Amino acid sequence: MATVMQRIVKPKTQAAKRALDVRSPKLEENDKVAMFIKGGHTSETITQVLKELYLLKKPNAITFKRKNIMRPFDDQSSIEFFSQKNDSSLFLFGSHSKKRPNNLVLGRLYDHHVLDMVELGVVHFRSMQDFPTEKIAMGTKPCLVFEGEAFEQDHEHRRLKSLLIDFFRGVKANNVRLQGLEHVLQFTAIDGKVMVMSYKVLLKKSGSRTPRVELTEIGPALDLEVRRTRLASDDLYKKACKKPKKGKPRKVKNVKTDVFGAKMGRVHMERQDFSKLQTRKMKGLKRQAPSNKENAKKAKTESSEPTAEES
């Protein structure tokens, strides 16, 4: 069997070089980009769902305006092609048919190959237009809240939880200020359904330093049912989550981190002689050598004291 050599093409322009640098492997990966794809036939509900979820995901999102006739559970080649072309690792595919009405397929890719897919049916939908309130700014990092025992006990719901976190996590942030928590996404698993609700956080005066928090629903609100799943094997999932050794921080001896992230260290030192300690030179702290008068007085007192033989 003959081996096929892959031809390496070097970039000819600076723009092409920068594009390849962005797509090259890194210790800390870029923010994940999601593709919003419309199927060959979509209903008005699915079109509006894709549009509003795209607004929540922006700016890390790409929407396809043209219809694409595909079936993700039967053939993933089209999705993998779009993923490699747009350098994206998440997708949301919407379609509508008599057998599966108001259908959504949520998935993610690893190395431009489909890793996990979950098919969800939209049972109930309320648009942002049904909530006449002020909306959030584009690109706001949401606070994700998961409720329900299924997210902890059921294997498919645990993987769905991981998929939802990947999809809606937003930009990575080391520190978040209190005023930065403006958006809350709540996912509730109950009676075989997953309810999605979106809230805006309002900080109001409380008479103390800590403000009073109120939540106002801004939409969209969805009731989803899990229809089909195609999950990666445990070995492949473990390989996709593996981190390189260079990215792991090295353990420093005698240094610990407490619950709040403060660094605490233990330093071992020899016993110090404080008489030789260098301090700031001041007249008040200057040590003076004993004068001749004090030496003569001290010698006189020692000579005047009676010894044991004289007594």
Side-chain angles (χ1 to χ4, degrees):
M1 182 177 178
T3 58
V4 179
M5 299 294 291
Q6 188 175 5
R7 187 164 59 97
I8 300 175
V9 180
K10 293 184 178 180
K12 297 181 179 180
T13 60
Q14 291 294 329
K17 185 179 180 181
R18 288 193 296 268
L20 289 178
D21 290 340
V22 171
R23 298 191 178 194
S24 62
K26 301 178 181 64
L27 291 177
E28 294 184 3
E29 61 182 6
N30 303 327
D31 296 328
K32 295 184 178 181
V33 179
M35 300 181 296
F36 291 80
I37 307 171
K38 293 173 64 176
H41 181 69
T42 57
S43 62
E44 184 179 354
T45 301
I46 288 297
T47 304
Q48 192 66 21
V49 168
L50 292 175
K51 181 180 179 181
E52 297 192 4
L53 292 181
Y54 167 72
L55 294 176
L56 293 181
K57 183 62 179 173
K58 285 177 69 175
N60 298 321
I62 300 172
T63 181
F64 292 6
K65 296 182 180 180
R66 294 184 179 180
K67 295 182 179 181
N68 297 272
I69 302 175
M70 62 176 73
R71 295 178 180 177
F73 277 84
D74 298 333
D75 183 17
Q76 297 89 31
S77 58
S78 299
I79 291 178
E80 293 173 355
F81 170 75
F82 289 143
S83 170
Q84 192 166 8
K85 184 178 180 181
N86 296 282
D87 192 25
S88 60
S89 56
L90 299 167
F91 71 90
L92 182 63
F93 176 80
S95 61
H96 177 76
S97 63
K98 185 176 180 181
K99 187 177 181 181
R100 295 184 178 89
N102 298 329
N103 200 48
L104 292 174
V105 178
L106 183 68
R108 57 185 168 188
L109 300 98
Y110 167 67
D111 195 19
H112 301 298
H113 294 285
V114 175
L115 183 69
D116 293 329
M117 283 193 303
V118 179
E119 188 178 63
L120 304 169
V122 181
V123 180
H124 179 69
F125 170 68
R126 292 183 65 189
S127 174
M128 289 183 179
Q129 301 174 358
D130 299 334
F131 301 92
T133 56
E134 187 179 356
K135 311 303 179 185
I136 57 173
M138 184 187 71
T140 304
K141 184 177 177 65
C143 174
L144 305 180
V145 180
F146 291 88
E147 293 183 350
E149 296 179 355
F151 285 127
E152 301 297 332
Q153 298 177 358
D154 186 51
H155 175 67
E156 291 185 353
H157 280 76
R158 282 201 305 267
R159 195 66 66 87
L160 175 60
K161 177 182 176 181
S162 175
L163 183 56
L164 291 172
I165 291 174
D166 260 359
F167 200 89
F168 292 105
R169 65 185 298 178
V171 182
K172 290 183 180 180
N174 296 327
N175 297 317
V176 179
R177 63 189 182 97
L178 185 61
Q179 287 77 10
L181 293 174
E182 300 178 6
H183 187 207
V184 175
L185 282 175
Q186 183 182 8
F187 303 92
T188 306
I190 183 171
D191 296 334
K193 296 182 181 179
V194 178
M195 302 169 63
V196 183
M197 287 173 282
S198 177
Y199 298 96
K200 182 179 180 180
V201 179
L202 301 177
L203 302 178
K204 297 190 176 182
K205 294 182 180 180
S206 62
S208 61
R209 188 174 181 181
T210 305
R212 181 168 55 90
V213 180
E214 289 187 1
L215 298 179
T216 303
E217 192 169 3
I218 59 174
L222 299 95
D223 291 350
L224 306 173
E225 61 177 2
V226 180
R227 290 176 176 171
R228 288 187 295 175
T229 59
R230 182 171 181 174
L231 306 178
S233 61
D234 294 338
D235 295 337
L236 181 59
Y237 185 75
K238 187 177 180 180
K239 182 181 178 181
C241 297
K242 187 178 180 180
K243 295 182 180 180
K245 293 183 179 179
K246 293 183 179 179
K248 295 180 181 179
R250 291 186 176 181
K251 186 177 181 181
V252 183
K253 191 176 181 181
N254 296 328
V255 176
K256 296 181 180 180
T257 305
D258 61 2
V259 182
F260 302 101
K263 188 180 291 185
M264 304 178 67
R266 179 181 295 178
V267 181
H268 298 273
M269 298 180 62
E270 297 180 356
R271 190 162 186 173
Q272 291 182 328
D273 186 4
F274 294 104
S275 63
K276 298 179 181 180
L277 186 65
Q278 179 65 39
T279 57
R280 186 178 179 184
K281 294 181 180 180
M282 296 177 62
K283 290 183 178 181
L285 300 176
K286 189 176 181 180
R287 295 176 181 175
Q288 296 181 356
S291 61
N292 296 331
K293 292 182 180 181
E294 292 179 355
N295 292 335
K297 188 177 180 180
K298 185 177 180 181
K300 186 177 180 180
T301 54
E302 290 178 355
S303 61
S304 62
E305 292 179 357
T307 61
E309 295 178 355
E310 293 176 354
S311 59

